[in-house]
Amino acid sequence: MNIADFTSQLNLLFKHQVTPLVVGLHGIGKTSIMSQFCAEQGYMYTMQALGTKEAGDIQGLLDTRDGTSAFLPPVFVKEINTWAKNNPDKYAVLFLDEINHIHKDMQAVLFSALLGNQIGDVKMEPNVRYVAAMNPPTKDYPGVFDFRNMALVDRFCHIDLRPTVTEWSTFAKKSGIPDVWVDFYLATPQFLDPIGEPYDVFKKIKGSRRSAIKAAMLAADGASDELLEGIIGSAALASFVAFQKERDADMLTKDDILGRRSLLKKSEATIKKWVAEEQYGKLDALCASIKAHLAAMEPGTANQQDADRITDLVFLLPIDMAYALSLDLCKDLQAINMKFDSSCNKRFFDFWDKAIKSGKVTVATK
């Protein structure tokens, strides 16, 4: 992921309280990128280089008074919390660099922050966010971050950060680097990054029930495939893309149902197939799109064809789903002159009778 794509997705991660773990070679500007992003957004930025820290440097030193013990919070923790409390509409970002060099006793401190938004004995403000960073754990960059600890790995969205040569040249020019040097590296980009053992960030990610929920929430909010890959890994994302393509091949929309003189045989066959295979998610999505379309119509604009097609659909759905859809339509669609009762549609009188006698629905009583 390049810098532009990463920074464009950061606020989405912050919104869903997902911590990015930025994995990238030394010298690519991980610290500068975060510092600049926070400055542009008006966020507080604090950096802690964990490779040179002990657990007490982060959670505070243990103090015992009057028979009780507590961690005395470091100054930076107080400063973050104070700023966050005074700026509730902004994020206070704690950048945790070099986590590949943290010792095992520091992992407990990291867990406390990521799981409970707590550092030592201090409960951090709800608008505090964390970003972690590390070099790839190869023979060239040895570290102690244990990728076998899946409970810890699963707490992050892994970002394989690879700035483009153009992004580097823009940064270099802003830093006052002479054009001749910028032009040299643009012409010979192989000298920008050290040659080392290839590292695939996403192959280390196995996914979990927790990460599945994270991925679904982020996807619903427009997350990129690279971001989702950092949550569930390459294998799961590839399988999901293939599954989605196959699943969407027979999807129906409201246009396949409404505005037609009769329900198309293809649509009818597809709905029957969904019912037989218990693909309730597809049925729910279709009903939701129809209800949204009808709710957006101007008053008095409904036509008989729409009413007939929805009636056809109702008789194909499982009785409980059809009953719920019918109740919604009866309640919400009076304004567009589409009424589903026996006075307007004899077929619906039979449907209500069938639904009540089925015993699969709950009929409201006064």
Side-chain angles (χ1 to χ4, degrees):
M1 182 179 291
N2 60 38
I3 295 173
D5 289 342
F6 170 55
T7 53
S8 70
Q9 301 280 298
L10 255 177
N11 278 320
L12 181 60
L13 292 174
F14 289 164
K15 174 184 175 181
H16 289 281
Q17 300 183 40
V18 176
T19 300
L21 170 53
V22 182
V23 182
L25 295 173
H26 70 283
I28 65 172
K30 297 186 288 289
T31 304
S32 299
I33 291 166
M34 282 307 308
S35 176
Q36 181 178 336
F37 172 81
C38 290
E40 292 173 350
Q41 298 286 320
Y43 300 162
M44 182 183 185
Y45 169 79
T46 302
M47 190 273 285
Q48 291 290 315
L50 301 184
T52 62
K53 302 287 185 180
E54 300 289 343
D57 297 326
I58 303 300
Q59 68 182 356
L61 298 177
L62 189 63
D63 181 54
T64 302
R65 294 180 183 177
D66 300 326
T68 61
S69 59
F71 290 105
L72 300 176
V75 173
F76 81 89
V77 172
K78 290 184 176 180
E79 291 176 343
I80 291 173
N81 248 7
T82 299
W83 189 95
K85 187 174 182 178
N86 293 334
N87 299 271
D89 59 333
K90 298 284 187 178
Y91 293 121
V93 179
L94 176 55
F95 185 64
L96 303 169
D97 201 7
E98 302 176 1
I99 74 161
N100 53 318
H101 291 294
I102 64 174
H103 297 288
K104 290 189 179 296
D105 59 344
M106 185 72 83
Q107 290 191 13
V109 179
L110 192 60
F111 259 123
S112 180
L114 300 181
L115 272 65
N117 195 27
Q118 181 165 323
I119 300 178
D121 289 331
V122 179
K123 182 66 176 178
M124 305 303 288
E125 293 293 318
N127 55 326
V128 173
R129 294 294 182 269
Y130 306 91
V131 176
M134 61 183 285
N135 296 327
T138 68
K139 63 181 181 181
D140 297 319
Y141 307 103
V144 296
F145 186 87
D146 189 358
F147 268 92
R148 293 170 299 177
N149 185 349
M150 296 311 301
L152 181 58
V153 171
D154 188 45
R155 291 294 172 179
F156 299 101
C157 173
H158 299 251
I159 305 293
D160 185 4
L161 189 62
R162 302 182 185 220
T164 65
V165 176
T166 301
E167 287 176 329
W168 174 85
S169 67
T170 300
F171 170 78
K173 289 179 180 179
K174 287 182 178 179
S175 302
I177 304 301
D179 288 345
V180 62
W181 283 96
V182 176
D183 293 341
F184 167 72
Y185 282 111
L186 285 175
T188 56
Q190 67 270 23
F191 295 122
L192 277 176
D193 295 323
I195 298 175
E197 178 185 346
Y199 177 73
D200 190 332
V201 172
F202 306 122
K203 284 186 178 179
K204 299 287 185 180
I205 305 170
K206 304 301 182 183
S208 69
R209 296 167 192 258
R210 181 191 301 113
S211 61
I213 293 174
K214 286 182 187 176
M217 293 172 62
L218 288 168
D221 235 353
S224 67
D225 282 352
E226 283 184 289
L227 205 65
L228 299 179
E229 191 174 12
I231 295 287
I232 60 177
S234 301
L237 180 65
S239 296
F240 171 75
V241 171
F243 171 81
Q244 186 178 43
K245 183 177 181 181
E246 180 180 354
R247 180 182 185 274
D248 291 347
D250 65 347
M251 284 299 289
L252 298 176
T253 69
K254 54 93 178 173
D255 294 326
D256 295 308
I257 306 298
L258 302 177
R260 300 179 181 277
R261 293 185 177 179
S262 62
L263 196 63
L264 294 179
K265 288 184 178 180
K266 177 184 176 182
S267 301
E268 183 176 348
T270 299
I271 294 170
K272 288 181 177 179
K273 174 176 175 288
W274 291 353
V275 173
E277 296 177 356
E278 298 184 349
Q279 298 190 47
Y280 300 129
K282 293 182 179 181
L283 294 168
D284 282 334
L286 176 60
C287 292
S289 69
I290 291 173
K291 287 191 288 186
H293 170 75
L294 295 177
M297 291 177 65
E298 293 294 327
T301 56
N303 58 60
Q304 188 58 42
Q305 286 183 352
D306 287 339
D308 290 343
R309 296 297 68 73
I310 294 176
T311 304
D312 292 340
L313 172 64
V314 163
F315 276 88
L316 292 172
L317 294 174
I319 194 67
D320 51 345
M321 186 176 293
Y323 185 71
L325 173 63
S326 301
L327 287 180
D328 287 342
L329 296 181
C330 288
K331 178 178 63 177
D332 298 334
L333 300 178
Q334 303 299 316
I336 60 172
N337 293 337
M338 185 179 290
K339 299 180 180 180
F340 293 94
D341 55 37
S342 57
S343 63
C344 299
N345 192 327
K346 177 61 170 64
R347 295 173 66 198
F348 249 88
F349 179 85
D350 297 333
F351 168 73
W352 292 124
D353 186 59
K354 176 183 176 183
I356 293 171
K357 290 180 179 179
S358 70
K360 296 182 178 181
V361 300
T362 301
V363 180
T365 57
K366 293 184 179 180

